[in-house]
Amino acid sequence: MIFITGDTHGEYNDTVSRFAENGVGKGDTVIVCGDFGFVGRIGGKHQYYLKQLAKEEFTILFVDGNHENFDVLETYPVVEYCGGRAHKVAENIYHLMRGQIFDIEGKRYFTFGGAYSIDKFMRKEGRSWWARELPSNEEYKEAGENLEKVGYKVDYVLTHTMPDSMIYRIGKNTDVHDAELTGYFEWLYRQLDFKKWFAGHWHINRNFDGKMYILYDEMIRMEK
């Protein structure tokens, strides 16, 4: 069974409680829509929590959010996982890289993490903020190439932030620093043939038209 949820922010007790309350068990897969947060400083508490999660009998997948330690995340080996490129964090934990397409339990997932930190001015580069939170030109290019291969048709989309029009629907405005990414997502929203789109980032649980899901602490159990 596949479950999809929002930000976990490295909060171990809250995260394992969320998994348990929703019946996640042996052989299942949980996908986190960014701000996973357990890949932290070497020797820090999150490394300990990560080792605890690595003992679980289910798989944890995540797209990156804006609050990830990209310096550490990018030290993990890049492997092929379910047809796409991923960082292998542990035997049961993988970071689904940007612009990839994965075949998971017979369904096609397009992944594209990242977002802008509006609280960047309060953070310190290399410690609590990383420029890699926003995509590179190469990642946009790779996304386009991969989507062309499948005729711009996928089952599900996994991102951290959302298309412009969805941001407006929750009463927010697109940040100018985020406009390239959210504008790209708006284009994809209209261009892609997809069933459902899942995002995190906004710390709310909302469902628009049964097609766009914004998740925080809610978990969605996917249909087989």
Side-chain angles (χ1 to χ4, degrees), residues 14-207:
D14 289 347
T15 298
V16 295
S17 294
R18 187 189 310 182
F19 293 173
E21 288 167 4
N22 284 275
V24 179
K26 184 176 181 179
D28 290 334
T29 297
V30 176
I31 302 175
V32 180
C33 292
D35 280 358
F36 178 58
F38 287 99
V39 179
R41 294 192 299 276
I42 301 299
K45 66 178 182 179
H46 291 117
Q47 289 287 311
Y48 171 77
Y49 294 150
L50 193 62
K51 290 179 180 178
Q52 299 305 113
L53 291 175
K55 297 176 183 178
E56 299 287 357
E57 295 184 304
F58 51 83
T59 299
I60 301 172
L61 311 176
F62 66 99
V63 298
D64 52 276
N66 50 306
H67 294 150
E68 311 288 1
N69 187 325
F70 288 94
D71 289 344
V72 175
L73 183 59
E74 293 177 353
T75 65
Y76 289 100
V78 175
V79 299
E80 182 177 337
Y81 178 80
C82 294
R85 295 198 308 132
H87 285 109
K88 184 177 181 180
V89 178
E91 288 299 324
N92 66 325
I93 304 174
Y94 293 84
H95 164 232
L96 306 180
M97 296 171 69
R98 297 170 183 168
Q100 304 300 304
I101 295 174
F102 299 90
D103 185 342
I104 304 173
E105 293 191 9
K107 301 297 183 181
R108 187 179 287 164
Y109 290 77
F110 172 70
T111 61
F112 206 100
Y116 176 73
S117 296
I118 60 172
D119 59 352
K120 171 184 170 182
F121 68 96
M122 299 171 58
R123 295 174 174 271
K124 183 175 181 180
E125 185 167 5
R127 189 169 182 85
S128 57
W129 177 82
W130 292 265
R132 289 283 291 115
E133 68 179 15
L134 289 174
S136 65
N137 290 335
E138 290 75 17
E139 287 167 332
Y140 284 116
K141 182 174 182 291
E142 185 171 7
E145 292 171 349
N146 287 332
L147 287 171
E148 284 180 6
K149 292 175 184 176
V150 297
Y152 278 80
K153 184 176 182 179
V154 298
D155 292 298
Y156 305 114
V157 179
L158 303 169
T159 62
H160 188 50
T161 190
M162 303 186 295
D164 286 336
S165 60
M166 296 298 136
I167 295 173
Y168 297 139
R169 288 184 71 174
I170 63 170
K172 305 290 185 180
N173 293 316
T174 301
D175 190 284
V176 64
H177 301 93
D178 219 11
E180 181 178 30
L181 179 57
T182 58
Y184 174 65
F185 286 165
E186 183 65 30
W187 179 81
L188 282 181
Y189 189 72
R190 300 170 188 277
Q191 181 78 7
L192 279 177
D193 180 352
F194 71 96
K195 295 176 182 176
K196 295 179 181 180
W197 185 314
F198 299 93
H201 189 50
W202 295 92
H203 292 197
I204 60 173
N205 299 303
R206 197 74 58 84
N207 169 9

Side-chain angles (χ1 to χ4, degrees), residues 4-7 18 170 199-200 202-208 212-220:
I4 302 181
T5 190
D7 311 19
R18 187 189 310 182
I170 63 170
W202 295 92
H203 292 197
I204 60 173
N205 299 303
R206 197 74 58 84
N207 169 9
F208 288 117
M212 169 63 70
Y213 291 79
I214 313 165
L215 300 174
Y216 183 35
D217 53 2
E218 184 180 346
M219 294 191 77
I220 299 291

Side-chain angles (χ1 to χ4, degrees), residues 1-2 107 156 196 221-224:
M1 181 66 67
I2 295 176
K107 301 297 183 181
Y156 305 114
K196 295 179 181 180
R221 184 191 297 258
M222 300 296 287
E223 301 173 357
K224 288 191 175 180

